[in-house]
Amino acid sequence: MGKQTKPRICEVLGVEVGEWFTHPGMNTSFQVTENGFLKCADGDLMMCVPTLINHPDRIIRKPRWTG
């Protein structure tokens, strides 16, 4: 396996690996791990995944500052 590609979920949601993002109406932040798993700041993902996948246009990306 030569080139590392980002997980498909990143393409669907329009975010990068490790980037924190939010969704209107949800009280937590989310992140996609290197393995393609969705990580939630409060640990509860039960109802969040379908909403995020079905409405990726509503995702709010948090700004990242570079040096």
Short mmCIF file of all heavy atoms in Angstrom, two decimals:
data_model
loop_
_atom_site.label_atom_id
_atom_site.label_comp_id
_atom_site.label_asym_id
_atom_site.label_seq_id
_atom_site.Cartn_x
_atom_site.Cartn_y
_atom_site.Cartn_z
N MET A 1 0.85 -1.17 0.00
CA MET A 1 0.00 0.00 0.00
C MET A 1 0.89 1.23 0.00
O MET A 1 1.57 1.52 0.95
CB MET A 1 -0.89 -0.04 1.23
CG MET A 1 -1.85 1.07 1.30
SD MET A 1 -2.54 1.03 2.94
CE MET A 1 -4.18 0.92 2.71
N GLY A 2 0.88 1.95 -1.09
CA GLY A 2 1.78 3.08 -1.23
C GLY A 2 1.25 4.37 -0.64
O GLY A 2 1.66 4.82 0.40
N LYS A 3 0.32 4.96 -1.34
CA LYS A 3 -0.17 6.27 -0.97
C LYS A 3 -1.31 6.19 0.06
O LYS A 3 -2.24 5.43 -0.10
CB LYS A 3 -0.68 6.96 -2.24
CG LYS A 3 -1.11 8.37 -2.05
CD LYS A 3 -1.58 8.94 -3.37
CE LYS A 3 -2.22 10.28 -3.15
NZ LYS A 3 -2.80 10.79 -4.39
N GLN A 4 -1.21 7.00 1.10
CA GLN A 4 -2.26 7.07 2.11
C GLN A 4 -3.39 7.96 1.59
O GLN A 4 -3.15 9.08 1.14
CB GLN A 4 -1.73 7.65 3.41
CG GLN A 4 -0.85 6.72 4.19
CD GLN A 4 -1.67 5.65 4.87
OE1 GLN A 4 -2.28 4.81 4.22
NE2 GLN A 4 -1.68 5.68 6.17
N THR A 5 -4.59 7.47 1.61
CA THR A 5 -5.74 8.28 1.22
C THR A 5 -6.59 8.56 2.44
O THR A 5 -6.58 7.80 3.40
CB THR A 5 -6.60 7.55 0.16
OG1 THR A 5 -7.05 6.31 0.72
CG2 THR A 5 -5.80 7.29 -1.10
N LYS A 6 -7.31 9.65 2.38
CA LYS A 6 -8.18 9.96 3.52
C LYS A 6 -9.43 9.10 3.44
O LYS A 6 -9.86 8.70 2.36
CB LYS A 6 -8.49 11.44 3.61
CG LYS A 6 -9.26 12.02 2.47
CD LYS A 6 -9.44 13.52 2.72
CE LYS A 6 -10.11 14.18 1.55
NZ LYS A 6 -10.25 15.61 1.76
N PRO A 7 -10.03 8.81 4.59
CA PRO A 7 -11.23 7.98 4.62
C PRO A 7 -12.38 8.58 3.80
O PRO A 7 -12.49 9.80 3.67
CB PRO A 7 -11.60 7.93 6.10
CG PRO A 7 -10.36 8.30 6.82
CD PRO A 7 -9.61 9.21 5.92
N ARG A 8 -13.22 7.74 3.27
CA ARG A 8 -14.36 8.17 2.43
C ARG A 8 -15.30 9.10 3.19
O ARG A 8 -15.86 10.03 2.62
CB ARG A 8 -15.12 6.93 1.95
CG ARG A 8 -16.39 7.22 1.22
CD ARG A 8 -16.16 7.62 -0.22
NE ARG A 8 -17.44 7.72 -0.91
CZ ARG A 8 -17.88 8.83 -1.46
NH1 ARG A 8 -17.13 9.90 -1.47
NH2 ARG A 8 -19.05 8.85 -2.06
N ILE A 9 -15.46 8.89 4.49
CA ILE A 9 -16.35 9.73 5.29
C ILE A 9 -15.91 11.20 5.25
O ILE A 9 -16.72 12.10 5.30
CB ILE A 9 -16.48 9.21 6.75
CG1 ILE A 9 -17.58 9.94 7.51
CG2 ILE A 9 -15.17 9.32 7.49
CD1 ILE A 9 -18.96 9.56 7.12
N CYS A 10 -14.59 11.43 5.12
CA CYS A 10 -14.09 12.80 5.02
C CYS A 10 -14.57 13.45 3.73
O CYS A 10 -14.93 14.63 3.71
CB CYS A 10 -12.57 12.82 5.07
SG CYS A 10 -11.89 12.45 6.68
N GLU A 11 -14.57 12.69 2.64
CA GLU A 11 -15.05 13.21 1.36
C GLU A 11 -16.55 13.50 1.42
O GLU A 11 -17.02 14.51 0.90
CB GLU A 11 -14.75 12.22 0.25
CG GLU A 11 -13.28 12.02 0.00
CD GLU A 11 -13.01 10.93 -1.01
OE1 GLU A 11 -13.90 10.63 -1.83
OE2 GLU A 11 -11.91 10.36 -0.98
N VAL A 12 -17.30 12.61 2.05
CA VAL A 12 -18.76 12.78 2.15
C VAL A 12 -19.10 14.03 2.97
O VAL A 12 -19.96 14.82 2.58
CB VAL A 12 -19.41 11.53 2.78
CG1 VAL A 12 -20.88 11.78 3.09
CG2 VAL A 12 -19.26 10.33 1.86
N LEU A 13 -18.41 14.21 4.09
CA LEU A 13 -18.71 15.34 4.98
C LEU A 13 -18.00 16.63 4.57
O LEU A 13 -18.37 17.70 5.02
CB LEU A 13 -18.33 14.98 6.42
CG LEU A 13 -19.09 13.81 7.04
CD1 LEU A 13 -18.57 13.54 8.44
CD2 LEU A 13 -20.59 14.05 7.04
N GLY A 14 -16.95 16.52 3.76
CA GLY A 14 -16.21 17.70 3.34
C GLY A 14 -15.27 18.25 4.39
O GLY A 14 -15.05 19.45 4.47
N VAL A 15 -14.72 17.37 5.22
CA VAL A 15 -13.79 17.78 6.27
C VAL A 15 -12.49 17.01 6.11
O VAL A 15 -12.40 16.05 5.36
CB VAL A 15 -14.38 17.54 7.68
CG1 VAL A 15 -15.62 18.39 7.90
CG2 VAL A 15 -14.69 16.08 7.92
N GLU A 16 -11.47 17.42 6.85
CA GLU A 16 -10.18 16.74 6.84
C GLU A 16 -10.07 15.83 8.06
O GLU A 16 -10.79 16.00 9.04
CB GLU A 16 -9.05 17.77 6.88
CG GLU A 16 -9.01 18.68 5.66
CD GLU A 16 -8.70 17.93 4.38
OE1 GLU A 16 -7.90 16.98 4.41
OE2 GLU A 16 -9.28 18.30 3.34
N VAL A 17 -9.15 14.89 8.00
CA VAL A 17 -8.88 14.01 9.13
C VAL A 17 -8.38 14.85 10.30
O VAL A 17 -7.49 15.69 10.15
CB VAL A 17 -7.83 12.94 8.76
CG1 VAL A 17 -7.42 12.13 9.98
CG2 VAL A 17 -8.36 12.03 7.66
N GLY A 18 -8.98 14.67 11.47
CA GLY A 18 -8.55 15.38 12.67
C GLY A 18 -9.15 16.76 12.84
O GLY A 18 -8.93 17.41 13.86
N GLU A 19 -9.91 17.24 11.88
CA GLU A 19 -10.51 18.56 11.95
C GLU A 19 -11.81 18.50 12.77
O GLU A 19 -12.66 17.66 12.52
CB GLU A 19 -10.82 19.05 10.54
CG GLU A 19 -11.51 20.38 10.48
CD GLU A 19 -11.83 20.80 9.06
OE1 GLU A 19 -11.67 20.00 8.13
OE2 GLU A 19 -12.28 21.95 8.90
N TRP A 20 -11.95 19.41 13.73
CA TRP A 20 -13.16 19.46 14.54
C TRP A 20 -14.21 20.26 13.80
O TRP A 20 -13.91 21.28 13.19
CB TRP A 20 -12.88 20.09 15.90
CG TRP A 20 -12.14 19.17 16.81
CD1 TRP A 20 -10.80 19.18 17.03
CD2 TRP A 20 -12.67 18.11 17.59
NE1 TRP A 20 -10.47 18.18 17.92
CE2 TRP A 20 -11.60 17.51 18.28
CE3 TRP A 20 -13.95 17.60 17.78
CZ2 TRP A 20 -11.78 16.43 19.13
CZ3 TRP A 20 -14.11 16.52 18.64
CH2 TRP A 20 -13.04 15.96 19.30
N PHE A 21 -15.46 19.80 13.85
CA PHE A 21 -16.56 20.51 13.21
C PHE A 21 -17.83 20.33 14.03
O PHE A 21 -17.91 19.46 14.89
CB PHE A 21 -16.76 20.03 11.77
CG PHE A 21 -17.08 18.57 11.64
CD1 PHE A 21 -18.38 18.12 11.60
CD2 PHE A 21 -16.06 17.63 11.56
CE1 PHE A 21 -18.67 16.76 11.48
CE2 PHE A 21 -16.33 16.27 11.44
CZ PHE A 21 -17.64 15.84 11.39
N THR A 22 -18.82 21.18 13.78
CA THR A 22 -20.09 21.12 14.49
C THR A 22 -21.23 21.04 13.48
O THR A 22 -21.01 21.18 12.27
CB THR A 22 -20.30 22.34 15.38
OG1 THR A 22 -20.29 23.52 14.58
CG2 THR A 22 -19.24 22.44 16.46
N HIS A 23 -22.43 20.87 13.98
CA HIS A 23 -23.63 20.82 13.15
C HIS A 23 -24.72 21.57 13.91
O HIS A 23 -24.87 21.38 15.12
CB HIS A 23 -24.03 19.37 12.91
CG HIS A 23 -25.02 19.18 11.82
ND1 HIS A 23 -26.36 19.37 11.99
CD2 HIS A 23 -24.85 18.83 10.53
CE1 HIS A 23 -26.99 19.13 10.86
NE2 HIS A 23 -26.09 18.80 9.95
N PRO A 24 -25.48 22.44 13.23
CA PRO A 24 -26.53 23.19 13.93
C PRO A 24 -27.52 22.26 14.64
O PRO A 24 -27.91 21.24 14.10
CB PRO A 24 -27.23 23.95 12.80
CG PRO A 24 -26.24 24.00 11.69
CD PRO A 24 -25.42 22.76 11.82
N GLY A 25 -27.88 22.62 15.83
CA GLY A 25 -28.84 21.83 16.60
C GLY A 25 -28.20 20.74 17.45
O GLY A 25 -28.89 20.07 18.21
N MET A 26 -26.92 20.55 17.32
CA MET A 26 -26.21 19.55 18.13
C MET A 26 -25.26 20.28 19.06
O MET A 26 -24.58 21.22 18.66
CB MET A 26 -25.44 18.58 17.24
CG MET A 26 -26.34 17.76 16.37
SD MET A 26 -25.38 16.55 15.46
CE MET A 26 -26.63 15.92 14.38
N ASN A 27 -25.20 19.84 20.30
CA ASN A 27 -24.44 20.54 21.33
C ASN A 27 -23.02 20.03 21.50
O ASN A 27 -22.43 20.22 22.55
CB ASN A 27 -25.16 20.42 22.68
CG ASN A 27 -26.53 21.06 22.64
OD1 ASN A 27 -26.76 21.97 21.86
ND2 ASN A 27 -27.42 20.58 23.46
N THR A 28 -22.46 19.42 20.49
CA THR A 28 -21.12 18.85 20.61
C THR A 28 -20.33 19.05 19.32
O THR A 28 -20.87 19.47 18.30
CB THR A 28 -21.20 17.35 20.97
OG1 THR A 28 -19.91 16.87 21.27
CG2 THR A 28 -21.82 16.55 19.85
N SER A 29 -19.05 18.75 19.38
CA SER A 29 -18.17 18.82 18.22
C SER A 29 -17.81 17.41 17.78
O SER A 29 -17.85 16.47 18.58
CB SER A 29 -16.89 19.57 18.57
OG SER A 29 -17.18 20.89 18.94
N PHE A 30 -17.43 17.27 16.52
CA PHE A 30 -17.09 15.97 15.94
C PHE A 30 -15.74 16.04 15.26
O PHE A 30 -15.28 17.12 14.88
CB PHE A 30 -18.14 15.56 14.91
CG PHE A 30 -19.53 15.55 15.43
CD1 PHE A 30 -20.35 16.65 15.29
CD2 PHE A 30 -20.03 14.43 16.08
CE1 PHE A 30 -21.64 16.65 15.77
CE2 PHE A 30 -21.32 14.42 16.57
CZ PHE A 30 -22.13 15.53 16.42
N GLN A 31 -15.14 14.86 15.07
CA GLN A 31 -13.86 14.74 14.41
C GLN A 31 -13.79 13.38 13.74
O GLN A 31 -14.29 12.40 14.28
CB GLN A 31 -12.76 14.87 15.47
CG GLN A 31 -11.36 14.74 14.96
CD GLN A 31 -10.36 14.78 16.11
OE1 GLN A 31 -10.51 14.05 17.08
NE2 GLN A 31 -9.37 15.64 16.01
N VAL A 32 -13.17 13.29 12.55
CA VAL A 32 -12.96 12.01 11.88
C VAL A 32 -11.53 11.58 12.16
O VAL A 32 -10.59 12.36 11.96
CB VAL A 32 -13.19 12.13 10.36
CG1 VAL A 32 -12.91 10.80 9.68
CG2 VAL A 32 -14.61 12.58 10.07
N THR A 33 -11.35 10.34 12.63
CA THR A 33 -10.02 9.83 12.94
C THR A 33 -9.34 9.31 11.68
O THR A 33 -9.96 9.18 10.63
CB THR A 33 -10.09 8.69 13.98
OG1 THR A 33 -10.77 7.58 13.39
CG2 THR A 33 -10.81 9.14 15.24
N GLU A 34 -8.06 8.96 11.79
CA GLU A 34 -7.29 8.42 10.67
C GLU A 34 -7.90 7.13 10.12
O GLU A 34 -7.78 6.83 8.95
CB GLU A 34 -5.85 8.14 11.10
CG GLU A 34 -5.06 9.38 11.44
CD GLU A 34 -3.68 9.03 11.99
OE1 GLU A 34 -3.43 7.84 12.28
OE2 GLU A 34 -2.87 9.95 12.11
N ASN A 35 -8.56 6.37 10.99
CA ASN A 35 -9.16 5.10 10.60
C ASN A 35 -10.55 5.26 10.00
O ASN A 35 -11.18 4.28 9.62
CB ASN A 35 -9.24 4.16 11.80
CG ASN A 35 -7.87 3.84 12.36
OD1 ASN A 35 -6.90 3.81 11.63
ND2 ASN A 35 -7.80 3.63 13.65
N GLY A 36 -11.07 6.49 9.97
CA GLY A 36 -12.38 6.74 9.40
C GLY A 36 -13.52 6.68 10.40
O GLY A 36 -14.67 6.70 10.02
N PHE A 37 -13.18 6.62 11.68
CA PHE A 37 -14.21 6.60 12.71
C PHE A 37 -14.59 8.03 13.08
O PHE A 37 -13.76 8.92 13.09
CB PHE A 37 -13.73 5.87 13.96
CG PHE A 37 -13.52 4.40 13.75
CD1 PHE A 37 -12.26 3.88 13.64
CD2 PHE A 37 -14.61 3.55 13.65
CE1 PHE A 37 -12.05 2.53 13.43
CE2 PHE A 37 -14.43 2.20 13.45
CZ PHE A 37 -13.14 1.68 13.34
N LEU A 38 -15.86 8.23 13.38
CA LEU A 38 -16.34 9.53 13.81
C LEU A 38 -16.21 9.61 15.33
O LEU A 38 -16.70 8.75 16.04
CB LEU A 38 -17.80 9.70 13.39
CG LEU A 38 -18.36 11.10 13.40
CD1 LEU A 38 -17.58 12.01 12.47
CD2 LEU A 38 -19.81 11.08 13.00
N LYS A 39 -15.53 10.64 15.79
CA LYS A 39 -15.31 10.84 17.22
C LYS A 39 -16.13 12.04 17.67
O LYS A 39 -16.14 13.07 17.00
CB LYS A 39 -13.82 11.09 17.45
CG LYS A 39 -13.42 11.28 18.87
CD LYS A 39 -11.91 11.47 18.93
CE LYS A 39 -11.46 11.80 20.32
NZ LYS A 39 -10.01 12.07 20.34
N CYS A 40 -16.81 11.89 18.78
CA CYS A 40 -17.68 12.93 19.31
C CYS A 40 -17.07 13.47 20.60
O CYS A 40 -16.56 12.70 21.41
CB CYS A 40 -19.05 12.32 19.57
SG CYS A 40 -20.29 13.46 20.13
N ALA A 41 -17.10 14.78 20.81
CA ALA A 41 -16.50 15.38 21.99
C ALA A 41 -17.15 14.89 23.28
O ALA A 41 -16.48 14.74 24.30
CB ALA A 41 -16.58 16.90 21.91
N ASP A 42 -18.47 14.59 23.26
CA ASP A 42 -19.12 14.12 24.47
C ASP A 42 -19.29 12.60 24.51
O ASP A 42 -19.83 12.05 25.45
CB ASP A 42 -20.47 14.82 24.69
CG ASP A 42 -21.53 14.43 23.68
OD1 ASP A 42 -21.26 13.59 22.81
OD2 ASP A 42 -22.64 14.98 23.77
N GLY A 43 -18.87 11.91 23.45
CA GLY A 43 -18.87 10.45 23.45
C GLY A 43 -20.14 9.78 22.98
O GLY A 43 -20.20 8.57 22.87
N ASP A 44 -21.20 10.52 22.65
CA ASP A 44 -22.47 9.92 22.24
C ASP A 44 -22.71 10.17 20.76
O ASP A 44 -22.92 11.28 20.33
CB ASP A 44 -23.61 10.51 23.06
CG ASP A 44 -24.96 9.88 22.72
OD1 ASP A 44 -24.97 8.75 22.23
OD2 ASP A 44 -25.98 10.54 22.96
N LEU A 45 -22.69 9.10 19.95
CA LEU A 45 -22.88 9.23 18.51
C LEU A 45 -24.18 8.60 18.01
O LEU A 45 -24.40 8.51 16.82
CB LEU A 45 -21.72 8.54 17.78
CG LEU A 45 -20.38 9.24 17.81
CD1 LEU A 45 -19.32 8.37 17.16
CD2 LEU A 45 -20.46 10.56 17.10
N MET A 46 -25.03 8.15 18.89
CA MET A 46 -26.16 7.33 18.50
C MET A 46 -26.99 7.92 17.36
O MET A 46 -27.21 7.28 16.35
CB MET A 46 -27.07 7.05 19.69
CG MET A 46 -28.04 5.93 19.40
SD MET A 46 -29.12 5.45 20.73
CE MET A 46 -28.30 5.78 22.21
N MET A 47 -27.47 9.14 17.46
CA MET A 47 -28.35 9.72 16.45
C MET A 47 -27.62 10.71 15.54
O MET A 47 -28.21 11.24 14.62
CB MET A 47 -29.52 10.44 17.13
CG MET A 47 -30.40 9.52 17.95
SD MET A 47 -31.10 8.17 16.99
CE MET A 47 -32.23 9.03 15.95
N CYS A 48 -26.35 10.95 15.78
CA CYS A 48 -25.64 11.99 15.05
C CYS A 48 -25.19 11.58 13.66
O CYS A 48 -25.22 12.38 12.74
CB CYS A 48 -24.42 12.43 15.85
SG CYS A 48 -24.83 13.11 17.45
N VAL A 49 -24.77 10.36 13.47
CA VAL A 49 -24.18 9.93 12.20
C VAL A 49 -25.14 10.10 11.03
O VAL A 49 -24.77 10.69 10.01
CB VAL A 49 -23.63 8.50 12.30
CG1 VAL A 49 -23.13 8.01 10.96
CG2 VAL A 49 -22.53 8.42 13.36
N PRO A 50 -26.38 9.61 11.10
CA PRO A 50 -27.29 9.80 9.96
C PRO A 50 -27.54 11.27 9.63
O PRO A 50 -27.60 11.65 8.46
CB PRO A 50 -28.59 9.12 10.40
CG PRO A 50 -28.19 8.18 11.46
CD PRO A 50 -27.01 8.80 12.14
N THR A 51 -27.65 12.10 10.64
CA THR A 51 -27.87 13.53 10.41
C THR A 51 -26.69 14.16 9.71
O THR A 51 -26.85 14.94 8.77
CB THR A 51 -28.14 14.25 11.74
OG1 THR A 51 -29.26 13.64 12.38
CG2 THR A 51 -28.41 15.73 11.53
N LEU A 52 -25.48 13.83 10.14
CA LEU A 52 -24.29 14.40 9.52
C LEU A 52 -24.15 13.96 8.07
O LEU A 52 -23.84 14.76 7.19
CB LEU A 52 -23.04 13.98 10.31
CG LEU A 52 -22.93 14.55 11.72
CD1 LEU A 52 -21.75 13.92 12.45
CD2 LEU A 52 -22.77 16.06 11.67
N ILE A 53 -24.39 12.68 7.80
CA ILE A 53 -24.24 12.16 6.45
C ILE A 53 -25.32 12.70 5.51
O ILE A 53 -25.05 13.01 4.36
CB ILE A 53 -24.22 10.63 6.46
CG1 ILE A 53 -22.93 10.14 7.13
CG2 ILE A 53 -24.33 10.05 5.06
CD1 ILE A 53 -22.86 8.66 7.36
N ASN A 54 -26.54 12.82 6.00
CA ASN A 54 -27.63 13.29 5.16
C ASN A 54 -27.63 14.79 4.93
O ASN A 54 -28.28 15.27 3.99
CB ASN A 54 -28.97 12.85 5.74
CG ASN A 54 -29.17 11.36 5.62
OD1 ASN A 54 -28.70 10.73 4.68
ND2 ASN A 54 -29.88 10.79 6.59
N HIS A 55 -26.94 15.55 5.78
CA HIS A 55 -26.93 17.01 5.65
C HIS A 55 -25.50 17.57 5.79
O HIS A 55 -25.24 18.41 6.65
CB HIS A 55 -27.83 17.65 6.71
CG HIS A 55 -29.23 17.16 6.67
ND1 HIS A 55 -30.12 17.55 5.68
CD2 HIS A 55 -29.90 16.30 7.46
CE1 HIS A 55 -31.27 16.96 5.88
NE2 HIS A 55 -31.17 16.18 6.95
N PRO A 56 -24.57 17.14 4.93
CA PRO A 56 -23.20 17.65 5.05
C PRO A 56 -23.08 19.14 4.72
O PRO A 56 -22.12 19.78 5.13
CB PRO A 56 -22.42 16.80 4.04
CG PRO A 56 -23.42 16.38 3.04
CD PRO A 56 -24.71 16.22 3.82
N ASP A 57 -24.06 19.70 4.04
CA ASP A 57 -24.03 21.12 3.70
C ASP A 57 -24.21 22.01 4.93
O ASP A 57 -23.89 23.19 4.89
CB ASP A 57 -25.10 21.43 2.67
CG ASP A 57 -26.49 20.99 3.11
OD1 ASP A 57 -26.61 19.90 3.71
OD2 ASP A 57 -27.46 21.73 2.86
N ARG A 58 -24.68 21.46 6.02
CA ARG A 58 -24.91 22.24 7.25
C ARG A 58 -23.73 22.20 8.21
O ARG A 58 -23.79 22.82 9.27
CB ARG A 58 -26.16 21.72 7.96
CG ARG A 58 -27.41 21.90 7.14
CD ARG A 58 -28.61 21.40 7.89
NE ARG A 58 -29.80 21.45 7.07
CZ ARG A 58 -30.94 20.89 7.39
NH1 ARG A 58 -31.05 20.24 8.53
NH2 ARG A 58 -31.97 20.97 6.59
N ILE A 59 -22.69 21.48 7.88
CA ILE A 59 -21.54 21.35 8.76
C ILE A 59 -20.81 22.69 8.88
O ILE A 59 -20.59 23.37 7.89
CB ILE A 59 -20.58 20.25 8.26
CG1 ILE A 59 -21.24 18.89 8.48
CG2 ILE A 59 -19.23 20.33 8.94
CD1 ILE A 59 -20.45 17.73 7.95
N ILE A 60 -20.46 23.02 10.10
CA ILE A 60 -19.73 24.25 10.39
C ILE A 60 -18.31 23.85 10.77
O ILE A 60 -18.10 23.21 11.80
CB ILE A 60 -20.39 25.05 11.53
CG1 ILE A 60 -21.83 25.39 11.14
CG2 ILE A 60 -19.58 26.29 11.85
CD1 ILE A 60 -22.67 25.91 12.29
N ARG A 61 -17.36 24.24 9.94
CA ARG A 61 -15.97 23.91 10.19
C ARG A 61 -15.36 24.93 11.13
O ARG A 61 -15.57 26.13 10.99
CB ARG A 61 -15.21 23.86 8.89
CG ARG A 61 -15.78 22.82 7.95
CD ARG A 61 -15.17 22.91 6.60
NE ARG A 61 -13.80 22.41 6.66
CZ ARG A 61 -13.06 22.18 5.60
NH1 ARG A 61 -13.55 22.40 4.40
NH2 ARG A 61 -11.84 21.73 5.71
N LYS A 62 -14.61 24.45 12.11
CA LYS A 62 -13.95 25.35 13.04
C LYS A 62 -12.66 25.87 12.41
O LYS A 62 -11.94 25.11 11.78
CB LYS A 62 -13.65 24.63 14.35
CG LYS A 62 -14.91 24.22 15.06
CD LYS A 62 -14.66 23.91 16.48
CE LYS A 62 -15.99 23.64 17.15
NZ LYS A 62 -15.89 23.56 18.56
N PRO A 63 -12.36 27.17 12.56
CA PRO A 63 -11.15 27.71 11.93
C PRO A 63 -9.87 27.13 12.56
O PRO A 63 -9.84 26.88 13.77
CB PRO A 63 -11.24 29.21 12.19
CG PRO A 63 -12.20 29.35 13.30
CD PRO A 63 -13.10 28.16 13.29
N ARG A 64 -8.91 26.88 11.70
CA ARG A 64 -7.61 26.41 12.18
C ARG A 64 -6.57 27.47 11.86
O ARG A 64 -6.47 27.95 10.74
CB ARG A 64 -7.21 25.10 11.49
CG ARG A 64 -8.07 23.94 11.87
CD ARG A 64 -7.52 22.66 11.34
NE ARG A 64 -7.26 22.74 9.91
CZ ARG A 64 -6.70 21.78 9.20
NH1 ARG A 64 -6.35 20.68 9.77
NH2 ARG A 64 -6.50 21.92 7.91
N TRP A 65 -5.79 27.84 12.85
CA TRP A 65 -4.77 28.84 12.66
C TRP A 65 -3.43 28.16 12.43
O TRP A 65 -3.08 27.21 13.12
CB TRP A 65 -4.69 29.75 13.88
CG TRP A 65 -5.99 30.42 14.18
CD1 TRP A 65 -6.91 30.02 15.10
CD2 TRP A 65 -6.55 31.54 13.52
NE1 TRP A 65 -8.01 30.84 15.07
CE2 TRP A 65 -7.81 31.79 14.09
CE3 TRP A 65 -6.12 32.37 12.49
CZ2 TRP A 65 -8.63 32.82 13.70
CZ3 TRP A 65 -6.94 33.40 12.10
CH2 TRP A 65 -8.16 33.62 12.69
N THR A 66 -2.70 28.63 11.44
CA THR A 66 -1.38 28.06 11.16
C THR A 66 -0.30 29.03 11.56
O THR A 66 -0.52 30.24 11.66
CB THR A 66 -1.24 27.72 9.66
OG1 THR A 66 -1.45 28.92 8.90
CG2 THR A 66 -2.28 26.68 9.25
N GLY A 67 0.88 28.50 11.77
CA GLY A 67 1.99 29.32 12.22
C GLY A 67 2.69 30.09 11.17
O GLY A 67 2.45 30.19 10.03
#
